[in-house]
Amino acid sequence: EIVLTQSPGTLSLSPGERASLSCRASQSVSSSYLSWYQQKPGQAPRLLIYGASSRASGIPDRFSGSGSGTDFTLTISRLEPEDFAVYYCQQYGSSRTFGQGTKVEIK
Amino acid sequence: EVQLLESGGGLVQPGGSLRLSCAASGFTFSSFAMSWVRQPPGKGLEWVSAIGSSGDSTYYADSVKGRFTISRDNSKNTLYLQMNSLRAEDTAVYYCAKCRGPSCSYFDYWGQGTLVTVSS
C-alpha cells in the first residue's frame, strides 16, 4: 500500500500570503492518479485538483498542483479567508489512500 | 446539480449490522462508478469501497474486506453499503462519493455524510 505523508501538519499564514503544501509518497505515483481535496469543519471534502495539476470545475486559479513521482505540491498563490481549511492529497495505485492532511490556519 | 444524500447511520453495538444508502441525483447514475469514504471523528479520510458503474466490479479496503458489502440499484439511483460485524474502529462519518478517472482514481462529488457509531 502506498503511504502518503503530508507536511507540514499545520501551516499558519495570513490572508494574502502564499501557501505550499507537500505530499510525499512511499512509492512512485502516476501523476494521473494524484488528487487534492479541501475540507472545512462540518463539511464534506471538495475536489480541488486531479491528475496532479488539473483544476476541478469551479476551482479558482489561485489553486495549483504540481509534482511527479513521489513528490507533489499544492500551492495557493494568495490566501483568501475562505481558504483556511484542511487539505488532503489522495492517490490511486493498487488501492486508494489519503494523506493525513495539512491544516492551513490563520496566523 | 449533482446531489448525493446518505442515510442509515446511527448507533449500533459491536458485532452488529447496519446498511447505509446513498440517493443520487443530477447525473446519469448508471454511467459512473461510486465509492464510500469514511472519516473517524477528528481524524483523516479513509477509502472504504468502490463499485463499478454496472455493479459487476467491487473493491474493498483491507480493513473492511469480508465484513462490508457494496452494491447499487441503478433503477433507483441508489448506492448501498452493508456493514456487518461492526467494530468500535468503524465509528466514523461515512461519505458517498462519485468516482471519476480511470478505475475510480478520484472523487469529484461527495455527499454530506452519515455518522455511524459503534458502541455498547
Side-chain angles (χ1 to χ4, degrees):
Chain A
E1 176 181 283
I2 296 176
V3 176
L4 298 178
T5 302
Q6 293 186 239
S7 62
T10 302
L11 199 51
S12 298
L13 294 168
S14 300
E17 290 193 292
R18 180 184 185 91
S20 290
L21 286 64
S22 172
C23 176
R24 182 161 293 177
S26 60
Q27 303 172 43
S28 184
V29 173
S30 167
S31 295
S32 300
Y33 298 150
L34 195 287
S35 54
W36 290 91
Y37 302 84
Q38 176 194 66
Q39 186 178 34
K40 297 178 181 179
Q43 295 185 18
R46 178 175 71 145
L47 175 68
L48 297 175
I49 300 287
Y50 64 94
S53 60
S54 297
R55 269 188 304 276
S57 175
I59 301 303
D61 60 7
R62 63 180 181 274
F63 290 93
S64 63
S66 63
S68 63
T70 60
D71 289 306
F72 297 88
T73 301
L74 175 69
T75 301
I76 310 171
S77 59
R78 287 178 57 85
L79 282 164
E80 297 288 341
E82 62 268 27
D83 299 337
F84 292 92
V86 179
Y87 293 84
Y88 295 95
C89 57
Q90 177 249 321
Q91 68 82 32
Y92 167 69
S94 58
S95 184
R96 299 156 188 86
T97 55
F98 291 87
Q100 83 280 16
T102 289
K103 182 180 181 180
V104 179
E105 66 175 21
I106 300 177
K107 186 175 181 179
Chain B
E1 179 192 5
V2 172
Q3 291 194 345
L4 299 170
L5 184 61
E6 302 95 337
S7 61
L11 175 63
V12 61
Q13 292 188 338
S17 298
L18 212 55
R19 189 176 85 153
L20 306 183
S21 300
C22 171
S25 61
F27 65 102
T28 305
F29 181 72
S30 59
S31 295
F32 292 92
M34 297 292 294
S35 196
W36 290 96
V37 177
R38 68 185 181 184
Q39 185 170 36
K43 296 189 177 181
L45 300 167
E46 180 189 16
W47 172 75
V48 172
S49 183
I51 186 168
S53 59
S54 62
D56 55 354
S57 301
T58 57
Y59 310 89
Y60 299 94
D62 287 345
S63 58
V64 306
K65 201 171 294 183
R67 300 187 299 123
F68 289 11
T69 302
I70 191 171
S71 62
R72 64 191 296 162
D73 186 337
N74 285 345
S75 68
K76 295 182 178 179
N77 289 349
T78 302
L79 175 72
Y80 303 100
L81 185 68
Q82 177 67 43
M83 304 185 296
N84 298 332
S85 303
L86 283 161
R87 307 166 180 167
E89 55 265 36
D90 296 319
T91 294
V93 174
Y94 284 73
Y95 294 103
C96 162
K98 175 174 167 285
C99 292
R100 290 304 304 272
S103 302
C104 185
S105 54
Y106 64 96
F107 315 104
D108 62 347
Y109 288 95
W110 300 60
Q112 283 304 301
T114 187
L115 177 62
V116 173
T117 303
V118 184
S119 175
S120 55

